[in-house]
Short mmCIF file of all heavy atoms in Angstrom, two decimals:
data_model
loop_
_atom_site.label_atom_id
_atom_site.label_comp_id
_atom_site.label_asym_id
_atom_site.label_seq_id
_atom_site.Cartn_x
_atom_site.Cartn_y
_atom_site.Cartn_z
N TYR A 161 -4.35 12.82 5.30
CA TYR A 161 -5.19 11.63 5.21
C TYR A 161 -6.63 12.00 4.88
O TYR A 161 -7.25 11.45 3.97
CB TYR A 161 -5.16 10.84 6.51
CG TYR A 161 -3.92 10.03 6.75
CD1 TYR A 161 -3.39 9.89 8.03
CD2 TYR A 161 -3.27 9.38 5.71
CE1 TYR A 161 -2.24 9.15 8.26
CE2 TYR A 161 -2.13 8.64 5.93
CZ TYR A 161 -1.61 8.52 7.21
OH TYR A 161 -0.49 7.78 7.42
N ALA A 163 -7.84 14.53 3.50
CA ALA A 163 -8.00 15.09 2.15
C ALA A 163 -8.07 14.00 1.08
O ALA A 163 -8.54 14.25 -0.03
CB ALA A 163 -6.84 16.04 1.84
N PRO A 220 -12.73 7.73 23.39
CA PRO A 220 -13.44 6.79 22.53
C PRO A 220 -13.21 5.36 22.98
O PRO A 220 -12.19 5.05 23.60
CB PRO A 220 -12.80 7.03 21.14
CG PRO A 220 -11.44 7.57 21.46
CD PRO A 220 -11.61 8.38 22.71
N LEU A 234 8.03 3.94 8.84
CA LEU A 234 8.74 3.14 7.86
C LEU A 234 10.26 3.22 7.99
O LEU A 234 10.95 2.22 7.82
CB LEU A 234 8.34 3.55 6.43
CG LEU A 234 6.86 3.44 6.07
CD1 LEU A 234 6.68 3.75 4.59
CD2 LEU A 234 6.31 2.07 6.41
N HIS A 236 12.00 3.30 10.46
CA HIS A 236 12.48 2.49 11.59
C HIS A 236 12.39 0.98 11.32
O HIS A 236 12.71 0.19 12.21
CB HIS A 236 11.64 2.80 12.84
CG HIS A 236 11.86 4.18 13.39
ND1 HIS A 236 13.05 4.58 13.94
CD2 HIS A 236 11.02 5.24 13.47
CE1 HIS A 236 12.95 5.84 14.34
NE2 HIS A 236 11.73 6.27 14.06
N ASP A 239 13.21 -4.25 7.26
CA ASP A 239 12.77 -4.97 6.06
C ASP A 239 11.35 -4.54 5.72
O ASP A 239 10.37 -5.07 6.25
CB ASP A 239 12.83 -6.48 6.30
CG ASP A 239 12.69 -7.28 5.01
OD1 ASP A 239 11.99 -6.80 4.10
OD2 ASP A 239 13.27 -8.38 4.92
N PHE A 265 15.79 12.40 0.08
CA PHE A 265 16.13 13.22 -1.08
C PHE A 265 17.64 13.30 -1.30
O PHE A 265 18.11 14.05 -2.17
CB PHE A 265 15.56 14.63 -0.92
CG PHE A 265 16.00 15.33 0.34
CD1 PHE A 265 17.18 16.05 0.39
CD2 PHE A 265 15.22 15.25 1.49
CE1 PHE A 265 17.58 16.69 1.55
CE2 PHE A 265 15.62 15.89 2.66
CZ PHE A 265 16.80 16.61 2.69
N GLY A 280 17.98 2.39 15.91
CA GLY A 280 16.67 2.02 15.40
C GLY A 280 16.26 2.74 14.13
O GLY A 280 15.16 2.53 13.63
N ASP A 289 10.71 5.53 -5.72
CA ASP A 289 10.67 4.34 -6.56
C ASP A 289 10.77 3.06 -5.72
O ASP A 289 10.11 2.06 -6.02
CB ASP A 289 11.81 4.38 -7.58
CG ASP A 289 11.60 5.45 -8.64
OD1 ASP A 289 10.46 5.95 -8.77
OD2 ASP A 289 12.57 5.80 -9.34
N VAL A 305 2.44 7.09 -4.95
CA VAL A 305 3.41 7.69 -4.04
C VAL A 305 3.52 9.15 -4.42
O VAL A 305 3.94 9.48 -5.53
CB VAL A 305 4.79 7.00 -4.15
CG1 VAL A 305 5.78 7.64 -3.18
CG2 VAL A 305 4.68 5.50 -3.88
N GLY A 308 2.78 14.49 0.24
CA GLY A 308 1.57 14.78 0.99
C GLY A 308 1.60 16.12 1.68
O GLY A 308 0.61 16.84 1.73
N GLU A 310 4.74 19.20 3.54
CA GLU A 310 6.10 19.55 3.90
C GLU A 310 6.13 20.08 5.33
O GLU A 310 5.14 20.65 5.81
CB GLU A 310 6.67 20.61 2.95
CG GLU A 310 6.85 20.12 1.53
CD GLU A 310 7.47 21.18 0.63
OE1 GLU A 310 7.36 22.38 0.96
OE2 GLU A 310 8.07 20.81 -0.40
N GLU A 325 20.18 24.84 15.29
CA GLU A 325 20.03 26.25 14.91
C GLU A 325 19.89 26.42 13.40
O GLU A 325 20.00 27.52 12.87
CB GLU A 325 21.20 27.07 15.42
CG GLU A 325 22.56 26.61 14.90
CD GLU A 325 23.72 27.41 15.49
OE1 GLU A 325 23.48 28.14 16.46
OE2 GLU A 325 24.82 27.31 14.94
#
Side-chain angles (χ1 to χ4, degrees):
Y161 283 143
L234 301 186
H236 292 293
D239 193 329
F265 56 87
D289 291 344
V305 180
E310 294 183 337
E325 59 183 13

